[in-house]
Amino acid sequence: MISVQNHLRRLSGSNIDLFLLVPILLISCGAFRKTPTVEWPKDDEIVIEGKEEKTETSTGVESKPKNDSKKAKKQKYEIINFKGEDFQVPIHDHSFNIAVILPFHSDASNSSRDSRRANLMLEYYQGMLLAVPSIEKLQSTFNIKYYDSDNDTAKLRQILRMPEFENVDLILGPTDEGQVKIAAYFARQRKIPLLSPISTMEEVWSNNPYLFFANPSERMQAKQFLKYFNREHKDEKLLIVRDGKGFDKTFGAALVQECIEQNINFEKIAYSGRIKWNNHLGTDKTVVLHTGTSKTSMTYAVTGLLSKADKVTLIGGDEWLNFSSVDYSQLEKLNVTYLSVNKAQIPNKMAQDLYSSYITIYNGVPSWFVYKGYDQLLLSCELLDAFGSYFPLFIEGKSISYANSDFNFQKFGNCFQNEYLELFKLQERELIRVD
């Protein structure tokens, strides 16, 4: 891979340099601006022959583990403060190598699907670049190198065989579910933390304490929703309206499964424009969770439930926030609440700074992928800076807040999942966060 040193000016009073290894052609071709077509530089074509003492597994990746000779040394500790909390942490080095493996699709010719994926990865990459000024303020030095997986399993295996991966401290990527499993097996053998940026899955091949899913799965969102429900609506009925479409097939299905496992009293009904609400609400208070995402489904629910507003809380997906020409007074009467994994819909300081920087540099509005790239790279660097390679021992159950997402990693199945979901509601026509 062709790369250059980041020449951002050193911060005043700092003796720490950040080296950001980026594809040089991105600079020369003006790829920092969002364009319909993206021309990414190609990786060097490197083929590593397997040595006799190394063995191949069913994944096609060598299973040679990381050298554990350091374990024999007597460990010393120090007190560090991370996000306002003190931790006793093993003293560690402050120079780290991060490998980012994403489907940039740098080939000259790609399918329309690959081109769309490349554009999303460009936006993710732009977000990572916006995190650089914050990363430079940390004590550590980071060598961040980008690899184009081309969404191809053979290319991924070739990348993982590169000699430099024996010295990688964290892997960010890849994105495809099958490739995540291959990379996760590689990382577990070498005790390298791997942060999956996009894909979600509940199970991998075997127990893997080094695998972290940054994107909250629908199951983890459902768990977080039921914590809210049990806290704010205890003893109320939960009525789930299912329309059989996208949001229902993902979050709706996960919520039903989680309700069954947690013995939550709920009822599910099929969506219709002619729902007879009196047959389902009764005399007690009810939370109506509607999985329909269209303006029509929201309107039917609001008009049908308005006369029962004193006994109903209506909840829907954040797609409902996109609709104009709605009567906000009616929404407030029903205490309409929105589910989202994008907390920047209510601006916070970090999100506002990112938004301003993006407009200045790229002359556009940042997508959610920009926020993902920013949050996930900054999270990776801050964890390494504070805890080094020991960070998996310290972050379970700790909620860490960034511009557009919180990270609350919980051991679920045989890896770590991000249990995260935001809830918003209207108050005096202003969107506020539900704590």
Side-chain angles (χ1 to χ4, degrees), residues 23 155 157 181 247 272 298 358 365 425:
K155 181 70 177 290
R157 287 177 174 145
K181 290 182 177 180
F247 185 56
S272 166
M298 183 192 76
Y358 192 89
V365 176
K425 69 177 182 179

Side-chain angles (χ1 to χ4, degrees), residues 68-106:
D68 287 336
S69 60
K70 293 182 180 179
K71 288 187 176 180
K73 297 180 181 179
K74 186 175 181 180
Q75 186 66 63
K76 296 182 178 179
Y77 294 82
E78 63 179 341
I79 302 296
I80 64 100
N81 186 277
F82 181 72
K83 304 294 183 180
E85 186 174 353
D86 289 337
F87 296 86
Q88 187 176 22
V89 179
I91 295 176
H92 56 271
D93 293 334
H94 282 277
S95 179
F96 301 102
N97 299 311
I98 297 177
V100 180
I101 308 174
L102 296 172
F104 293 121
H105 295 296
S106 58

Side-chain angles (χ1 to χ4, degrees), residues 331-347:
L331 301 182
E332 287 194 40
K333 286 179 181 178
L334 280 167
N335 195 29
V336 171
T337 303
Y338 308 90
L339 307 176
S340 180
V341 293
N342 297 306
K343 75 181 211 180
Q345 299 197 73
I346 299 179

Side-chain angles (χ1 to χ4, degrees), residues 249-278:
K249 289 180 178 179
T250 54
F251 178 78
L255 180 59
V256 168
Q257 181 182 359
E258 196 62 31
C259 284
I260 293 172
E261 291 198 6
Q262 294 189 26
N263 294 316
I264 301 294
N265 178 30
F266 78 101
E267 178 187 356
K268 58 180 179 178
I269 61 174
Y271 165 70
S272 166
R274 302 180 183 87
I275 294 176
K276 295 181 179 179
W277 294 106
N278 287 332

